Amino acid sequence: MYIGIDIGGTKCAVVLGNDQGQVVKKIRFATTEKEETLEKFFAAISEFGECQSIGISCGGPLDEDRGLILSPPNLPGWDRVPIVDMIQERFGIPAKIMNDANACAVAEWRFGAGKGFNNMVFLTFGTGLGAGLILGGKLYSGACGFAGEVGHIRLADHGPAGYGKCGSFEGFCSGSGLRELGRGLAREYIQRGEMPLFIRNSSLEEFTVAEMANAARIGDTCAIEAFSICGKMLGKGLAILCDILNPDAIVIGSVYARCRDLLEESTVNSLKSEALPAVAERVKIMPAALGEQIGDLAALAVAMEV
């Protein structure tokens, strides 16, 4: 059996499961201040009892080699927390920490849509955009653990901001970037005297990606244009990854998985027009399969990597 710890900015989970991805026990709680949250982790580990290893999935920045959490923006006060050493010294159980994008990639590869592929890219496509790379049947993390930070790639000179860059991959292809794209287009439509459906019951600052998607599905031209641009740029970014890595599959989570009907056509068309034909023909573009379970299974997958 394995124990997985999923650390998020608003909630955490500690799960007990096996190497088939079956969760036997789970404890969830809100993320509070550091010391209180750590004690809840330790209490859950004690309650679950013996296990083979412990895996921790957490947003970066991290020092995975030394097992440190290095002040992630969603975890204020978690500065240089030696969580791996704390667990190993307290329980005598081997432990490992991994960036959540990489952990989710391993989970989708072991248990989800990427199962059976030797070369796979996983894209988070959530609040931000990150990637996990499975190459040659192994997780590839790079010289200093930063492999897969594809959101930093600039796809256009101008465009929504993400990862500190206007026109970046994350700017066009993330939940926050898609909202910024929709907001900019909505202002143009309003200036022409057209009111987009997704802000009629909200505002330019408060609408959600889900509201945009619902509007697009009933024919709102502004929302449709936003998703079309997003899909086109997603395909452009995927073409770069395909030409460099030649993967068997690219698995995309969160927004893409929920809005595949609005993104797939423009994404695939853009990919085919940008990538080498043989590469584009080989790769399979798929939505993530693990859904709401991915955080739990990602933490278990890290434990299996110890």
Side-chain angles (χ1 to χ4, degrees), residues 38 44-45 52 74 99 140 142 149 173 196 206-207 296 299:
L38 289 170
I45 294 170
Q52 185 171 332
N74 64 341
N99 177 284
Y140 178 76
E149 296 293 353
C173 302
E206 296 176 353
F207 72 89
D296 300 341

Side-chain angles (χ1 to χ4, degrees), residues 6-89:
D6 179 27
I7 306 177
T10 58
K11 61 182 182 298
C12 296
V14 183
V15 298
L16 179 69
N18 60 25
D19 59 5
Q20 301 302 307
Q22 296 169 321
V23 175
V24 177
K25 294 181 181 179
K26 178 176 178 177
I27 297 174
R28 295 183 64 181
F29 48 87
T31 307
T32 54
E33 66 92 22
K34 179 184 65 178
E35 297 302 328
E36 181 179 358
T37 302
L38 289 170
E39 285 303 321
K40 289 180 179 178
F41 292 152
F42 301 150
I45 294 170
S46 296
E47 180 178 332
F48 288 166
E50 293 186 6
C51 68
Q52 185 171 332
S53 56
I54 296 174
I56 306 147
S57 172
C58 182
L62 310 172
D63 185 331
E64 295 182 7
D65 290 338
R66 292 190 288 175
L68 301 175
I69 299 174
L70 302 176
S71 301
N74 64 341
L75 292 171
W78 292 61
D79 184 25
R80 301 187 65 81
V81 179
I83 188 166
V84 169
D85 283 348
M86 294 170 77
I87 288 172
Q88 292 183 155
E89 290 170 6

